[in-house]
Amino acid sequence: MGDKVKFKITDYIEFDLKWEEEQCAKLGVDFEYHQMKTASPKELIDTFADADILLVNMARCTPEVMAGLENVKVMIRHGIGYDNFDLPSATEHGIVLANQPTASSEDVAEQAIMLMLATYRKIKIQRSILENSVKNAKWMFDPIFPMYRMGGKTLGIIGCGHIGSIVLRKMRSFGMNILVDDPYLSKERYAELGIEHTPLEEVLRKADIGTIHVPVTAETRGMFNKETLSLMKKTAVLINTARGPMINIPDLKEALDNGVIAGAGIDVYDKEPPTPDYPLLGMENVVLTPHLAWYSEEGGMDIRHTIIDDLKRFLDGRLPKSVINPDVLKSPKLKMKFRE
């Protein structure tokens, strides 16, 4: 590609980036990294405008930032979600955006299943029963009633992409009836999964456990609200390991307080970390985890490898594996010509 390629990182979650330094040295790439997750648009532009390829974890890439990244040809999101990217602005300014859609998919699926078990089997109440029984020297089971087995019940999977399909595969062994709502899957993909599409309203009415695996879009933001929650069974629980904005939290709190649904398991939040006044904190029928569904040692290395693979593709003049704004490829402002 001529001059030495500049690969920069806005912010990162790894303990160190020595492995990336070694990989970039082997590839002859100029590598630079920062911890600028909360930087202003001006700071991001001043630091990263000269990069050729930019890796972003949580930094906010607003329209102002996209306009100011004059040299950036490709931006990669460190993970699956990309709600911190302004896609229209990137497309307008000829920047190719990519994500890592399979990153930590196994881990997120496992976390979702953990939350299903913990919520449906009322793990917090079980712990409270144990502590009270120890204190009183006798078993005091009354607070747990009623509790149900998962076998024979209905699992509703809302969104069946990389993560949802892994949940589907793993949960088949639980002997549950599984329904899937994903209007964007092809008939061929449904056939591969061995399941049919079920409309969202029917999934919500029938599910004993509902688990969310959709991205944040204008269509999905706030999709779980007073109206949709009211469709669910009083004994049902709702699991969210996707993104916080999918659920209207005040509406969920009201539903949980009033027995509209029985419980919830949450790993993601509108504001992260959640503030001390977060409505679901301390609720006995809610299991909260600290947005760690993405994490495992194996998953961490998987994503690092896939990002370096995308860097190699860039050096070879090829697009990243997962482009999330393909319209940019038709733009006259596209900043480099990619080969097939």
Side-chain angles (χ1 to χ4, degrees), residues 272-297:
E272 300 204 341
T275 55
D277 61 351
Y278 181 70
L280 305 185
L281 281 171
M283 294 188 70
E284 199 167 45
N285 56 346
V286 179
V287 178
L288 301 176
T289 52
H291 198 161
L292 273 176
W294 54 271
Y295 172 67
S296 72
E297 288 295 305

Side-chain angles (χ1 to χ4, degrees), residues 29-48:
V29 170
D30 187 355
F31 179 54
E32 185 180 307
Y33 55 93
H34 301 262
Q35 284 290 27
M36 297 177 65
K37 179 171 70 172
T38 59
S40 69
K42 184 180 185 305
E43 290 171 323
L44 291 173
I45 292 166
D46 288 347
T47 308
F48 302 109

Side-chain angles (χ1 to χ4, degrees), residues 127-295:
R127 176 68 186 189
S128 175
I129 286 173
L130 177 62
E131 291 174 355
N132 288 332
S133 297
V134 168
K135 188 187 301 182
N136 291 281
K138 63 177 181 178
W139 291 120
M140 304 172 70
F141 294 136
D142 287 358
I144 202 74
F145 304 124
M147 187 164 67
Y148 304 95
R149 67 174 56 157
M150 291 168 63
K153 299 299 186 296
T154 298
L155 171 65
I157 300 175
I158 298 97
C160 202
H162 291 286
I163 296 168
S165 61
I166 295 172
V167 171
L168 173 64
R169 169 170 55 82
K170 290 178 181 289
M171 289 303 294
R172 279 190 159 126
S173 64
F174 277 69
M176 299 187 77
N177 175 41
I178 302 178
L179 302 177
V180 169
D181 168 55
D182 193 327
Y184 297 101
L185 289 188
S186 66
K187 290 182 180 179
E188 291 75 18
R189 180 56 177 155
Y190 271 111
E192 286 175 10
L193 294 172
I195 201 161
E196 296 180 353
H197 174 251
T198 303
L200 178 62
E201 284 196 8
E202 185 178 346
V203 171
L204 295 180
R205 291 183 194 280
K206 292 183 176 179
D208 297 285
I209 301 173
T211 182
I212 306 170
H213 302 287
V214 297
V216 177
T217 65
E219 181 184 7
T220 62
R221 188 178 293 271
M223 69 185 294
F224 287 88
N225 50 46
K226 190 170 185 174
E227 180 182 353
T228 49
L229 291 167
S230 71
L231 300 175
M232 299 181 74
K233 298 178 181 179
K234 294 183 184 299
T235 53
V237 301
L238 182 64
I239 309 300
N240 188 14
T241 55
R243 281 292 185 269
M246 238 64 77
I247 300 177
N248 181 308
I249 295 300
D251 286 358
L252 177 58
K253 173 75 161 61
E254 183 180 339
L256 291 164
D257 283 340
N258 295 332
V260 175
I261 66 171
I266 306 291
D267 186 61
V268 286
Y269 308 89
D270 278 341
K271 179 177 173 52
E272 300 204 341
T275 55
D277 61 351
Y278 181 70
L280 305 185
L281 281 171
M283 294 188 70
E284 199 167 45
N285 56 346
V286 179
V287 178
L288 301 176
T289 52
H291 198 161
L292 273 176
W294 54 271
Y295 172 67

